[in-house]
């Protein structure tokens, strides 16, 4: 079974406000103090909203959290399988503490189908990644994003687990 980049998800609670400020600039210390994954999620949603407003399209991208800070990588690909393989390769090469894969998707919310920016977020060692979604509509004046994103489920973690040197085969 292949994963499709246009996920259809079920809307659930666990809502967080979307940052409305400019791009997040972080230092190593800020990543440690504020929670690298939370900052990466907020940055991914902000970046996705800006890209959609500016370009009218969103190329999938990953935010990785490393010891030196946050880094972004675009994933130009012809299919969702190619995107996921690219992300897995990136994660194996970089071995980040956490990652956020962000793409344009859709959800079923309150009985209606709507477009959404979707983020898959996980820390190294997590067994699953959280699926977060920020619904939006396209009106006469462009993109209109909801004021908050929500956790809408979980999916498989994309970062391969590394075996401990003490693990038995």
């Amino acid at each position: 079974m292949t994963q499709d980049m246009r996920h259809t998800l079920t809307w659930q609670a666990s809502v967080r406000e979307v940052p409305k400020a400019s791009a997040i600039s972080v230092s190593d210390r800020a990543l440690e103090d504020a929670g690298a994954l939370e900052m990466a999620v907020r940055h991914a949603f902000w970046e996705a909203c800006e890209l959609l407003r500016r370009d009218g399209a969103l190329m999938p991208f990953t935010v990785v959290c490393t010891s030196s800070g946050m880094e972004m990588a675009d994933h130009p690909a012809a299919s969702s399988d190619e995107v996921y393989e690219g992300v897995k390769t990136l994660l194996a090469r970089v071995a980040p503490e956490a990652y956020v894969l962000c793409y344009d998707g859709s959800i079923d919310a309150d009985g209606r189908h709507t477009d959404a920016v979707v983020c898959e977020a996980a820390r190294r060692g997590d067994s699953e990644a959280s699926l977060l979604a920020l619904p939006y509509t396209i009106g006469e004046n462009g993109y209109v994003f909801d004021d908050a994103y929500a956790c809408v489920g979980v999916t498989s973690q994309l970062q391969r687990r590394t075996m401990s040197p003490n693990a038995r085969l």
Side-chain angles (χ1 to χ4, degrees), residues 19 27 89 97:
S27 67
T89 300
E97 292 298 316

Side-chain angles (χ1 to χ4, degrees), residues 62-138:
T62 302
V63 178
V64 293
C65 303
T66 66
S67 60
S68 60
M70 287 193 306
E71 298 174 20
M72 285 184 53
D74 290 333
H75 302 291
S79 71
S80 59
D81 287 339
E82 289 179 19
V83 170
Y84 280 104
E85 286 308 311
V87 174
K88 288 177 186 178
T89 300
L90 171 69
L91 297 177
R93 182 175 45 81
V94 175
E97 292 298 316
Y99 75 91
V100 178
L101 169 60
C102 185
Y103 51 88
D104 193 3
S106 62
I107 60 171
D108 289 324
D110 300 326
R112 63 184 177 92
H113 191 76
T114 187
D115 292 322
V117 173
V118 178
C119 288
E120 297 182 19
R123 290 180 180 84
R124 184 185 317 148
D126 288 350
S127 60
E128 296 177 320
S130 297
L131 285 170
L132 308 166
L134 176 63
Y136 69 84
T137 57
I138 304 172

